[in-house]
Amino acid sequence: MAAPPNLPPPDELLKRANEILEELEKGPWPSHVRELRKTRYPLHIYGVGLVARKTPWGPGAVKVEFVNTGVLSRWSRPWVPNGGEETHFRIFHTPGKFWKTDFVRQITKISRELGVGLIEIVGQTGAFVLNLTKDKAEEMVDALRSIGTDVGGSGDAIRALNACVGPALCEFALYDTLKWYAEFHKDKRVNDAIATPNFPYKFKIKFSGCPMDCARANRADLGLIGVWEGAPEVDQELLRRKIEAGEVDPKELAARCPSGAITWDGKELKIDGAKCKKSMECIRRAFPAIKPGRKRKVAVVIGGGVKGRFGPKLGWFVGYLDPEDHQKAIDLAFKLIEPWDKEAQPKYRLGDYIMQVGIENFVKKAGIELEGMPPLAKMGDEVPYAVLSKEERESYLKLVEAIKT
């Protein structure tokens, strides 16, 4: 990457970087910069990136003996004065990120003695990241394995699984995301695919307990989202009390329903189950007067992703599983992987491959048969882009055709 234009001389660049970092430490609130200063992380490189308004990091590689995946390295760009490097492991997580106190003490000790004293657990991917020093990498791997975890989940492999906290803490959870996460990890095929890169690109599996999708399962290669059949349940008496207390506005509930499934006649609120899109907007606003229906399912979406050859997209819905069908879900993951692994070009996500061969052909190739699966001919009607609706795409296509003629 070329140096950003109009960068000041190295001494001035470092001075301005330090000024920005000092500014980020001010105030009574917690400061990430203040915490980073307690570690051996190369903070000045981060500061230089803030001045340049461009990432100061370039990709690197570090080989650790007996480790096939999970090691990530970044090297500072040539225009960064007093440059350096940063290396980290992605480590196996526990379901819902629940840690025992003893594990926290052990991992903290490993980080301080063998790493740089920095642990990251709230990143975009949901991964558990442990920063390290290269000369201690192999010793750190042995230490991690001795406390019951391991390195994995990077590169062209199944990435670290991600699940919401599910029924442990959330009243909205419609299936046991933690159990499904654990069952996936028990399967040797899953662990082998996490530990050893063999695929065209990364493959993400995420578990969200309800349509609010806290684990961002709709953006995964395989997303599993708790839903229900039909309309939400309405406790009319409790809802009436909430309305009288001013806690709920029934007209607003009806106006905010994205599918127009809610009607209010002044006395009773009704929800048309055939129209309900499971947005949970009404449930969030009126819970527990409005709750999810009792017949629970796990919706399966495939091919989502933020980055890819064809741009960001949400997953295609391909059917439902029962809340106890975790083994069927594991088998489904490898049905999806098989044709993609055999035929996809390098660095094509599952969704890119589906775009290339067509959703109908892919479903046939993978042998997908699920309850509630939409008709194949209908699946191809709507490409689930995250940024443009079907109407917007058609408008742009018409504009392009008009320009061409």
Side-chain angles (χ1 to χ4, degrees), residues 210-276:
C210 77
M212 285 191 273
D213 199 12
C214 292
R216 300 179 291 277
N218 216 336
R219 286 163 35 184
D221 299 274
L222 171 59
L224 300 154
I225 305 171
V227 292
W228 66 92
E229 287 189 8
E233 289 188 351
V234 182
D235 184 331
Q236 299 291 349
E237 181 59 35
L238 179 55
L239 180 63
R240 193 172 296 111
R241 292 201 298 269
K242 282 183 167 289
I243 293 170
E244 291 171 354
E247 297 175 12
V248 175
D249 182 347
K251 293 180 180 179
E252 186 179 16
L253 288 183
R256 286 181 173 272
C257 178
S259 59
I262 297 177
T263 56
W264 168 252
D265 61 8
K267 295 181 179 179
E268 190 174 67
L269 186 133
K270 295 181 180 179
I271 304 177
D272 185 344
K275 288 184 178 180
C276 179

Side-chain angles (χ1 to χ4, degrees), residues 366-385:
I368 302 173
E369 294 181 6
L370 295 173
E371 176 193 346
M373 192 165 77
L376 290 181
K378 190 176 179 182
M379 279 189 184
D381 290 345
E382 176 69 12
V383 178
Y385 282 103

Side-chain angles (χ1 to χ4, degrees), residues 116-156:
V116 301
L118 178 63
I119 300 171
E120 304 169 52
I121 56 173
V122 291
Q124 175 69 15
T125 64
F128 169 24
V129 176
L130 190 63
N131 293 72
L132 62 117
T133 52
K134 285 194 305 181
D135 60 319
K136 299 286 187 179
E138 292 174 18
E139 190 177 345
M140 182 179 275
V141 172
D142 291 338
L144 291 169
R145 288 172 177 169
S146 71
I147 66 170
T149 187
D150 206 343
V151 177
S154 295
D156 301 334

Side-chain angles (χ1 to χ4, degrees), residues 40 107-118:
R40 293 182 291 281
I107 207 74
T108 302
K109 184 172 184 287
I110 290 171
S111 177
R112 287 173 175 167
E113 293 180 356
L114 303 176
V116 301
L118 178 63

Side-chain angles (χ1 to χ4, degrees), residues 139-321:
E139 190 177 345
M140 182 179 275
V141 172
D142 291 338
L144 291 169
R145 288 172 177 169
S146 71
I147 66 170
T149 187
D150 206 343
V151 177
S154 295
D156 301 334
I158 290 180
R159 291 293 179 89
L161 308 181
N162 191 21
C164 70
V165 296
L169 291 176
C170 183
E171 63 268 36
F172 295 125
L174 303 176
Y175 78 105
D176 193 340
T177 55
L178 307 181
K179 179 180 179 181
W180 280 50
Y181 181 110
E183 293 296 336
F184 265 70
H185 253 304
K186 288 179 185 177
D187 192 287
K188 186 177 185 300
R189 294 171 296 170
V190 174
N191 278 305
D192 286 349
I194 291 174
T196 306
N198 278 321
F199 300 149
Y201 202 11
K202 56 189 173 185
F203 189 93
K204 295 185 176 182
I205 303 172
K206 298 186 177 183
F207 311 87
S208 281
C210 77
M212 285 191 273
D213 199 12
C214 292
R216 300 179 291 277
N218 216 336
R219 286 163 35 184
D221 299 274
L222 171 59
L224 300 154
I225 305 171
V227 292
W228 66 92
E229 287 189 8
E233 289 188 351
V234 182
D235 184 331
Q236 299 291 349
E237 181 59 35
L238 179 55
L239 180 63
R240 193 172 296 111
R241 292 201 298 269
K242 282 183 167 289
I243 293 170
E244 291 171 354
E247 297 175 12
V248 175
D249 182 347
K251 293 180 180 179
E252 186 179 16
L253 288 183
R256 286 181 173 272
C257 178
S259 59
I262 297 177
T263 56
W264 168 252
D265 61 8
K267 295 181 179 179
E268 190 174 67
L269 186 133
K270 295 181 180 179
I271 304 177
D272 185 344
K275 288 184 178 180
C276 179
K277 298 296 185 183
K278 314 297 187 289
S279 72
M280 290 189 68
E281 178 70 16
C282 61
I283 295 172
R284 283 186 288 185
R285 291 178 174 274
F287 188 84
I290 304 178
K291 294 181 179 180
R294 296 191 182 188
K295 194 170 183 182
R296 309 293 168 81
K297 295 289 182 182
V298 178
V300 179
V301 292
I302 63 173
V306 175
K307 296 180 180 179
R309 299 288 182 178
F310 295 94
K313 62 186 74 68
L314 301 177
W316 282 267
F317 167 72
V318 292
Y320 299 107
L321 293 168

